[in-house]
């Protein structure tokens, strides 16, 4: 059995979702120390001028080393509305998608814990793509792994070049709203793939 360890992620990049398909079992880390400027609270979409990072504001923890499972979401700045508007302008919302559920998840739900919010969105995205990965949360923080286990927790990272950090991931181009101006932007948030390609998203994820 091939097992992958991933960090919790907000509307994770395409690279992340290829792991959900390629590995038999996924453990999502809950006991790592929360770090800013990672996919834990950030996703990247295509904007008219290039890549655009959308970040969820969090409540400042009481200690410097706060576990991910205890990080709470802040409602500062009406971020849900701003994120949804940015995503809507950067994608072709296909009629074949059940957009209502996604809109509700992003715009109206008030889940307070970031890990819970990320997990719910991941479940929703998997349902829309029609994949059924075997996912569990970790019960402790591991530092040693067997030959069947692969640790992607800090490999899938917005500040790391996936071509170097994760050479097994090869992005496959698909239609993007601004591609005539910007060219294809690889490894954006899964929401970019999902809203632009709809039911064909799975074909892109499984392309070799």
């Amino acid at each position: 059995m091939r097992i992958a360890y991933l960090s919790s992620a907000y509307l994770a990049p395409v690279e992340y979702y290829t792991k959900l398909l390629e590995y038999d079992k996924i453990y999502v880390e809950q006991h790592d120390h929360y770090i800013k400027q990672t996919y834990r609270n950030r996703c990247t979409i295509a904007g008219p001028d290039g890549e655009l990072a959308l970040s969820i504001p969090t409540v400042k923890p009481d200690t410097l080393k706060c576990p991910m499972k205890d990080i709470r979401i802040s409602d500062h700045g009406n971020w849900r509305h701003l994120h949804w508007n940015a995503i809507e302008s950067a994608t072709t919302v296909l009629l074949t998608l059940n957009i209502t559920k996604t809109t509700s998840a992003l715009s109206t739900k008030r889940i307070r814990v970031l890990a819970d919010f990320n997990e719910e969105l991941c479940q929703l995205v998997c349902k829309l793509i029609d994949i059924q990965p075997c996912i569990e949360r970790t019960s402790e923080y591991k530092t040693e792994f067997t030959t069947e286990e692969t640790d992607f927790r800090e490999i899938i990272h917005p500040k790391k070049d996936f071509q170097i950090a994760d050479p097994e991931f090869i992005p496959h181009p698909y239609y993007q709203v601004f591609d005539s101006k910007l060219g294809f932007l690889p490894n954006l948030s899964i929401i970019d793939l999902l809203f632009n390609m709809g039911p064909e998203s799975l074909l892109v994820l499984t392309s070799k």
Side-chain angles (χ1 to χ4, degrees):
M1 176 181 285
R2 300 180 70 211
I3 300 172
Y5 283 77
L6 301 172
S7 65
S8 175
Y10 169 50
L11 293 174
V14 170
E15 178 186 8
Y16 189 104
Y17 277 83
T18 62
K19 308 309 179 192
L20 301 190
L21 285 165
E22 292 170 2
Y23 285 80
D24 303 306
K25 184 71 172 286
I26 304 293
Y27 284 101
V28 176
E29 187 59 68
Q30 305 296 298
H31 299 275
D32 51 341
H33 294 148
Y34 175 71
I35 303 172
K36 293 181 179 180
Q37 297 185 345
T38 66
Y39 289 125
R40 292 169 179 83
N41 74 318
R42 168 180 174 175
C43 71
T44 305
I45 63 171
D49 298 316
E51 293 187 4
L52 176 64
L54 304 176
S55 297
I56 298 177
T58 58
V59 177
K60 186 176 180 180
D62 296 329
T63 61
L64 290 176
K65 295 182 178 181
C66 182
M68 176 65 191
K69 66 183 180 63
D70 295 333
I71 293 296
R72 300 180 69 82
I73 295 172
S74 170
D75 285 328
H76 177 73
N78 195 24
W79 67 269
R80 289 175 174 83
H81 178 71
L82 295 175
H83 283 204
W84 180 253
N85 283 347
I87 291 169
E88 197 172 42
S89 67
T91 56
T92 303
V93 182
L94 301 176
L95 296 177
T96 51
L97 281 176
N98 186 346
I99 297 302
T100 304
K101 289 184 180 180
T102 310
T103 307
S104 175
L106 282 172
S107 302
T108 63
K109 294 204 76 169
R110 290 295 185 267
I111 299 174
R112 297 299 179 184
V113 177
L114 180 59
D116 294 344
F117 186 69
N118 289 347
E119 180 179 27
E120 179 151 326
L121 282 178
C122 181
Q123 291 174 351
L124 176 58
V125 168
C126 287
K127 184 176 181 180
L128 291 172
I129 297 175
D130 194 21
I131 61 176
Q132 297 83 35
C134 181
I135 303 176
E136 287 185 20
R137 294 191 185 195
T138 58
S139 58
E140 60 180 358
Y141 187 80
K142 288 186 64 171
T143 57
E144 296 182 0
F145 299 90
T146 68
T147 56
E148 291 79 23
E149 298 174 326
T150 306
D151 181 10
F152 291 105
R153 292 173 298 182
E154 298 305 324
I155 288 178
I156 301 177
H157 192 289
K159 295 186 178 297
K160 291 185 178 180
D161 183 348
F162 65 81
Q163 297 178 82
I164 298 172
D166 184 17
E168 74 175 41
F169 169 63
I170 301 174
H172 292 273
Y174 57 87
Y175 172 78
Q176 293 173 337
V177 171
F178 303 112
D179 61 3
S180 60
K181 176 183 178 182
L182 303 172
F184 176 68
L185 299 177
N187 207 27
L188 297 179
S189 168
I190 189 65
I191 209 77
D192 184 84
L193 171 62
L194 178 63
F195 277 22
N196 283 319
M197 298 301 294
E200 296 181 24
S201 298
L202 184 56
L203 296 176
V204 176
L205 288 172
T206 56
S207 296
K208 298 295 185 183

